[in-house]
Amino acid sequence: GVSDDVKVPKDKIGYHFDVDARGRPVGIDWTTAPMKEWWLDYLKKDQEAVKNFIKHPGKAKDVPVDAIAPPTMALEERVNSLYRYVQSALKYNPETGNDATLSEVVREGERGAWQGTLFFAYLLERAGIPQTRALLADRWQIRFSPVITSSYIYGFTNAVFVEIPGKGRRFYMPGRLSLPSGSLEDGYQDSLALWLADDKHISECFTPLNPPGADRTEYRYEASMAQDGSLAGKLAISKWGTPAEDFVEWHRDREYRFAHPKGEEKKVRMSAGEREQELAKRLREEATVPGTRLDITDVVLGTWPASSSEPLILSCTFTAKSVGQPAQGGTWVISGLPLLA
């Protein structure tokens, strides 16, 4: 934001704001000109683009929403069922155009997460489930600019929220195929959401953090200790939610590019050995355990998640020196700090 010791005339930049330690905009008055007029216009244009996207639903109109999410179900389970359907029905296709219609996305696959999320919003509407589509700002991007009348710096993406009885407002973005229901990408948690309340008013809120346990990494060791206090064994690293997201998305794109080479990729195609080396390098990076004395080797992809609710599991072998020290009575004292510092 604009620091206290820097005085910039508002008429020179339109509007400015500060951010807190989390990168969230604070002290914003959405009723103040010229900001209100600028963002009303932006949100209306975005709404029109969404209408153009869904006005050609194609096979999306044939999805049996009442069979997938029967009205007799509890509201949250209906939403979760449609969420899972979208993720299982869509495939990843980076060649789908940004101007593709819903019909094309269902048929050819999604390029951007926003396309799958709008498919989800369309199914919620067909199912008669009240929902609101909002634009979410990337918390990491907005903190670096004092100019609020610029959509380009916000890293906007689409999300949908539903008011769940007893649980409040829950946000969903199934277009990110690796995220479980009710979760947001890291940069969109605890960030800013904007939507049109009506033709003359803007609504906004801060997005929630993901539910407890949705984003987690589990380390499971199976090891034996030698007389010198060193450990050797196997380590399984299981990742749920956002900790798995980067690798899952990278691997999905990598596999698509290999199956559909274009241009220079056809001329300079990786050999099988080079592909194995590329994957091994990325797996080593993904299996890093910060702050430890573990020497990790032979990292392999243990289990690929069959759905966004299942973990990505990496398996490897490890050794660690001076982890255990002999104590009285033939016992050993093992330091856990080198394992998970």
Side-chain angles (χ1 to χ4, degrees), residues 25-45:
V26 293
I28 300 175
D29 182 359
W30 297 101
T31 65
T32 304
M35 184 175 64
K36 177 183 176 182
E37 288 76 9
W38 196 95
W39 282 102
L40 275 174
D41 181 66
Y42 176 81
L43 291 172
K44 287 176 182 178
K45 288 178 179 177

Side-chain angles (χ1 to χ4, degrees), residues 35 73 122 314:
M35 184 175 64
M73 274 185 173
Y122 171 80
L314 307 178

Side-chain angles (χ1 to χ4, degrees), residues 99-214:
D99 58 349
T101 64
L102 176 55
S103 175
E104 292 169 317
V105 169
V106 173
R107 183 178 67 250
E108 300 173 8
E110 68 158 23
R111 175 177 184 169
W114 62 273
Q115 294 170 323
T117 300
L118 292 182
F119 179 27
F120 176 63
Y122 171 80
L123 295 183
L124 288 176
E125 183 176 359
R126 282 193 51 211
I129 296 175
Q131 43 98 7
T132 301
R133 183 188 63 85
L135 290 179
L136 272 54
D138 186 324
R139 190 178 71 246
W140 303 112
Q141 292 185 224
I142 59 178
R143 68 190 309 167
F144 297 114
S145 175
V147 184
I148 198 167
T149 51
S150 173
S151 63
Y152 297 103
I153 62 172
Y154 274 60
F156 275 131
T157 192
N158 278 276
V160 170
F161 67 80
V162 178
E163 300 288 347
I164 304 295
K167 295 185 177 181
R169 186 173 290 167
R170 297 293 295 271
F171 282 81
Y172 301 87
M173 48 190 316
R176 181 58 72 188
L177 302 179
S178 57
L179 286 181
S181 184
S183 291
L184 297 173
E185 292 180 63
D186 176 66
Y188 296 107
Q189 299 176 46
D190 203 17
S191 190
L192 179 69
L194 294 177
W195 66 96
L196 280 175
D198 53 46
D199 286 344
K200 297 182 179 180
H201 299 91
I202 298 171
S203 292
E204 50 87 18
C205 73
F206 285 138
T207 57
L209 297 174
N210 286 347

Side-chain angles (χ1 to χ4, degrees), residues 4-317:
D4 292 338
D5 58 346
V6 178
K7 303 301 181 182
V8 182
K10 289 184 179 181
D11 61 349
K12 299 297 183 184
I13 62 173
Y15 205 87
H16 76 277
F17 61 93
D18 295 323
V19 294
D20 63 14
R22 292 281 292 169
R24 306 182 307 176
V26 293
I28 300 175
D29 182 359
W30 297 101
T31 65
T32 304
M35 184 175 64
K36 177 183 176 182
E37 288 76 9
W38 196 95
W39 282 102
L40 275 174
D41 181 66
Y42 176 81
L43 291 172
K44 287 176 182 178
K45 288 178 179 177
D46 176 74
Q47 189 175 65
E48 189 62 31
V50 171
K51 289 180 180 178
N52 290 333
F53 174 80
I54 64 175
K55 72 179 180 181
H56 299 293
K59 291 185 178 180
K61 67 177 182 297
D62 299 325
V63 175
V65 292
D66 285 344
I68 297 168
T72 54
M73 274 185 173
L75 175 61
E76 185 174 20
E77 187 52 40
R78 294 187 74 200
V79 174
N80 290 341
S81 295
L82 289 171
Y83 186 102
R84 290 190 293 266
Y85 173 81
V86 168
Q87 289 193 324
S88 64
L90 284 180
K91 59 185 179 181
Y92 173 70
N93 182 359
E95 296 178 18
T96 299
N98 279 327
D99 58 349
T101 64
L102 176 55
S103 175
E104 292 169 317
V105 169
V106 173
R107 183 178 67 250
E108 300 173 8
E110 68 158 23
R111 175 177 184 169
W114 62 273
Q115 294 170 323
T117 300
L118 292 182
F119 179 27
F120 176 63
Y122 171 80
L123 295 183
L124 288 176
E125 183 176 359
R126 282 193 51 211
I129 296 175
Q131 43 98 7
T132 301
R133 183 188 63 85
L135 290 179
L136 272 54
D138 186 324
R139 190 178 71 246
W140 303 112
Q141 292 185 224
I142 59 178
R143 68 190 309 167
F144 297 114
S145 175
V147 184
I148 198 167
T149 51
S150 173
S151 63
Y152 297 103
I153 62 172
Y154 274 60
F156 275 131
T157 192
N158 278 276
V160 170
F161 67 80
V162 178
E163 300 288 347
I164 304 295
K167 295 185 177 181
R169 186 173 290 167
R170 297 293 295 271
F171 282 81
Y172 301 87
M173 48 190 316
R176 181 58 72 188
L177 302 179
S178 57
L179 286 181
S181 184
S183 291
L184 297 173
E185 292 180 63
D186 176 66
Y188 296 107
Q189 299 176 46
D190 203 17
S191 190
L192 179 69
L194 294 177
W195 66 96
L196 280 175
D198 53 46
D199 286 344
K200 297 182 179 180
H201 299 91
I202 298 171
S203 292
E204 50 87 18
C205 73
F206 285 138
T207 57
L209 297 174
N210 286 347
D215 301 327
R216 67 188 192 276
T217 302
E218 178 183 282
Y219 301 86
R220 186 176 296 275
Y221 297 87
E222 294 181 7
S224 59
M225 188 170 64
Q227 290 297 318
D228 62 358
S230 63
L231 283 179
K234 295 181 178 181
L235 168 62
I237 305 175
S238 302
K239 299 187 176 188
W240 287 263
T242 55
E245 183 184 355
D246 284 348
F247 181 83
V248 171
E249 298 300 325
W250 173 84
H251 193 272
R252 180 179 286 120
D253 186 73
R254 174 179 181 268
E255 292 301 298
Y256 182 93
R257 300 295 182 185
F258 182 74
H260 306 85
K262 295 180 64 177
E264 290 299 316
E265 293 174 349
K266 288 184 177 180
K267 300 177 184 178
V268 190
R269 186 156 182 160
M270 282 187 178
S271 66
E274 289 172 329
R275 278 178 55 77
E276 289 180 4
Q277 291 176 8
E278 179 190 49
L279 179 59
K281 179 178 183 295
R282 183 60 190 258
L283 284 170
R284 285 195 302 271
E285 295 171 352
E286 197 68 21
T288 298
V289 182
T292 75
R293 289 180 290 182
L294 297 186
D295 182 14
I296 294 176
T297 57
D298 302 323
V299 185
V300 297
L301 186 57
T303 302
W304 183 258
S307 69
S308 60
S309 62
E310 297 181 2
L312 166 72
I313 302 179
L314 307 178
S315 300
C316 57
T317 58

